[in-house]
Amino acid sequence: LNMDYPFNLKGILYFPKINTEYDSIEGTIKLYNNQVFIADNIKEVIPEFLMLLKGVIDCPDLPLNVSRSALQNDGFVKKISDYISKKVADKLIGMCKTEKESYEKYWDDISPFIKFGCLKDTKFCDKMNDYILFKNLDDKYLTLPELLKEDEKAEENTDGNTEDTKAEDTASDSEEKDERKPIYYVTDPVQQGQYIKMFKEQGMDAVILNHNIDTSFISQLEQRNEKFKFMRIDANLTDSLKEENAEDAKEAEETLSKVFKDTLKNDKLTIKAAKLKNADIASVITLSEEGRRMQDMMKMYAMNGMGGMDTSMFAADQTLTLNTSHPLVQYILNHKDSEHVPMFCQQLYDLAVLSNQPLSVDAMTKFIQRSNDIMMLLAK
C-alpha cells in the first residue's frame, strides 16, 4: 500500500498460510502514525474481512489519540478502509491476469479469505467476481467465466442428439423449473467417488468446494447471477448418465417402488428406475440441492449452540434410482416374491447410501450382519 493523495498511507498486508480453516483465523494488522504504534486491528480503519490478514499500516494523517467513536463517524476513515479493500482486490486481479501460475499456487490458502471478503463487502465482490478460482476434477483452476465456457463445450459434446432427447431432458428435469445452468460441485472427492466416476465417463466435469464457507458463498453467487445454479454432484442424475429410450422403465419403476417401499418403510424415499450408462452400478442415492442445503444449515445452527432444534425434521428427501440394466435389479424384478428380496432391497439401499454418506452406527451394524448373511447364502 502506498498513497500520497487524498491521504498519506503506506503499508504491507499478507495472507497468512493456515493449516486448517480455523487455525489463526484472526490476523494482526498493526496501525502506526509516523512509526509510532497506535493499536492492533482497528476495525474502523481495516475492512472487517481483511482483519484475517496480517501486516502493518502507517498513516500519518490519523491523529495519535483518536477515539474509536470518532473513527466510526469519520468519512475520511471510511475512505482509507475503501482504499485498502480496493488495493487488495487490484493486487489479486493483477496476479490472476499476469501471474496466473503463482495465483493458482496460493489459491487454496487464500480462497477462504477472499470468499469471506465477497460475503462481507459488495464492492469487493463486484471486483473479484471474475477472478475467483474454482478447482475442477482434474485439478485445473478456472475462473467463473472460464467455468461457464467449459460447461457450454461439455454440453455441446454430451447434449442434444435429437429433439426427442431434448424433450425427454425437459420432462425429467421438470422438478427444476429454474432455467438456470447447473454448475456441479463436489464437497468430498473420496465419499462422492462413485458420482465422480459416472461424470468422468460421460465427459462431464465438476468443481471442488470443500470449505465450510463455500455453502454461503455459492448461495451469494446465485443471488447475484440468475444464469447459473450450483448443484452438488449427487443432487440428481442428469440425462447424460442415462440410456435413451428406456421404454420399460415406467413399468419397472412401479414394481420396484412397491417392493422397496414395503421393505424399507421410508416415507421420505422416492424410488425411480432408469437404465444407467454405467451397467456396473446397481443403485444410486440423490438428495435435492435445496433440501440438503437446508439440512446443512440446520446442523450448523445446532453446532453453534442453537440447541433444542430437531434437525431430523429438515432431512432432505432422498431419491433411490435403480439401474434396470443391472442383474441384481433384474433379479428383484423377476423374483419379487422371493424370501431373499427384502434382504437384497435393504442391501442395495445401504450400498447406495454408503456411496453418498457414512451409515449410522445402527445401520452399519445391520449392513455388516446382512453382508455376512448374503455370503452364507452363496456358501450353502
Side-chain angles (χ1 to χ4, degrees):
L1 308 169
N2 191 351
M3 195 167 191
D4 296 322
Y5 181 84
F7 47 82
N8 193 340
L9 181 143
K10 286 182 174 59
I12 184 164
L13 302 178
Y14 65 93
F15 290 96
K17 186 174 176 63
I18 51 174
N19 297 321
T20 72
E21 289 172 58
Y22 305 107
D23 181 30
S24 303
I25 203 68
E26 185 169 333
T28 306
I29 297 178
K30 296 186 177 294
L31 189 63
Y32 287 78
N33 174 314
N34 273 327
Q35 301 178 35
V36 176
F37 178 67
I38 299 176
D40 286 329
N41 296 348
I42 295 190
K43 290 182 170 66
E44 291 74 22
V45 178
I46 316 296
E48 183 187 0
F49 69 92
L50 293 179
M51 300 301 283
L52 301 173
L53 274 66
K54 294 188 177 184
V56 59
I57 290 172
D58 193 323
C59 184
D61 293 336
L62 278 179
L64 278 170
N65 299 318
V66 68
S67 71
R68 295 219 160 169
S69 58
L71 283 172
Q72 283 171 354
N73 301 312
D74 193 329
F76 170 72
V77 169
K78 177 71 173 67
K79 284 180 183 175
I80 294 177
S81 176
D82 288 346
Y83 164 74
I84 293 170
S85 174
K86 180 179 178 299
K87 284 292 287 184
V88 170
D90 288 345
K91 176 66 177 176
L92 293 168
I93 291 166
M95 279 192 75
C96 188
K97 285 178 175 177
T98 61
E99 302 171 59
K100 185 91 183 295
E101 205 173 299
S102 295
Y103 190 58
E104 289 175 1
K105 188 176 72 177
Y106 301 135
W107 180 257
D108 288 347
D109 286 317
I110 67 176
S111 65
F113 299 111
I114 295 171
K115 289 170 183 175
F116 183 57
C118 289
L119 288 170
K120 288 290 182 182
D121 186 323
T122 307
K123 285 182 182 174
F124 182 79
C125 193
D126 288 340
K127 286 180 74 70
M128 287 301 303
N129 191 70
D130 290 349
Y131 303 96
I132 289 156
L133 298 185
F134 295 87
K135 184 159 69 172
N136 73 1
L137 298 177
D138 296 320
D139 291 336
K140 182 182 174 184
Y141 289 92
L142 301 165
T143 63
L144 192 54
E146 287 169 344
L147 183 63
L148 292 169
K149 270 187 192 171
E150 289 279 323
D151 279 355
E152 279 170 21
K153 283 182 199 168
E155 267 182 21
E156 284 169 17
N157 293 336
T158 59
D159 203 36
N161 292 324
T162 65
E163 290 304 316
D164 291 339
T165 310
K166 288 179 186 174
E168 261 180 45
D169 289 353
T170 308
S172 65
D173 289 338
S174 58
E175 55 192 287
E176 296 207 27
K177 286 287 180 191
D178 221 335
E179 290 299 318
R180 295 179 180 213
K181 174 185 186 49
I183 297 175
Y184 291 99
Y185 68 97
V186 171
T187 53
D188 186 334
V190 175
Q191 185 70 58
Q192 291 148 20
Q194 177 176 279
Y195 301 88
I196 291 171
K197 184 173 184 291
M198 288 193 294
F199 264 54
K200 282 189 166 183
E201 284 170 350
Q202 300 309 316
M204 297 173 68
D205 202 0
V207 295
I208 297 168
L209 297 172
N210 53 5
H211 280 284
N212 284 344
I213 200 169
D214 284 325
T215 302
S216 301
F217 178 65
I218 61 176
S219 296
Q220 188 213 46
L221 282 183
E222 288 167 343
Q223 288 166 9
R224 291 165 58 88
N225 192 324
E226 295 180 357
K227 290 183 180 176
F228 60 81
K229 178 176 181 58
F230 284 87
M231 299 265 292
R232 203 167 81 173
I233 202 167
D234 57 357
N236 73 355
L237 283 177
T238 71
D239 290 297
S240 303
L241 305 176
K242 303 173 191 172
E243 295 284 6
E244 294 170 37
N245 305 322
E247 292 164 12
D248 1 341
K250 192 169 183 185
E251 189 182 333
E253 191 166 287
E254 287 173 8
T255 304
L256 291 167
S257 185
K258 184 176 188 319
V259 174
F260 273 78
K261 285 191 172 180
D262 287 347
T263 301
L264 300 173
K265 308 274 190 292
N266 184 343
D267 295 337
K268 286 187 173 287
L269 184 66
T270 300
I271 308 293
K272 287 189 176 180
K275 193 172 183 181
L276 302 182
K277 288 180 179 177
N278 187 326
D280 296 331
I281 294 171
S283 53
V284 181
I285 282 277
T286 52
L287 292 82
S288 74
E289 180 71 14
E290 292 74 14
R292 189 186 48 72
R293 284 198 206 182
M294 176 64 76
Q295 188 180 16
D296 290 348
M297 189 171 71
M298 291 303 119
K299 281 181 187 170
M300 199 179 295
Y301 284 149
M303 282 169 60
N304 289 339
M306 297 173 73
M309 189 185 296
D310 181 11
T311 56
S312 65
M313 64 186 286
F314 296 101
D317 290 345
Q318 293 180 332
T319 298
L320 175 67
T321 300
L322 298 156
N323 185 3
T324 55
S325 61
H326 194 280
L328 273 174
V329 177
Q330 281 296 321
Y331 178 88
I332 293 169
L333 275 168
N334 298 326
H335 303 83
K336 53 182 181 289
D337 297 321
S338 164
E339 61 176 312
H340 302 310
V341 160
M343 179 166 59
F344 292 165
C345 289
Q346 187 66 62
Q347 194 76 349
L348 281 178
Y349 172 71
D350 282 354
L351 285 167
V353 172
L354 270 172
S355 67
N356 181 271
Q357 62 191 37
L359 291 174
S360 67
V361 174
D362 183 49
M364 179 55 86
T365 304
K366 289 176 181 175
F367 175 78
I368 292 168
Q369 181 59 53
R370 198 183 316 111
S371 299
N372 288 333
D373 293 343
I374 290 169
M375 287 190 285
M376 284 303 297
L377 286 174
L378 293 170
K380 285 178 182 176

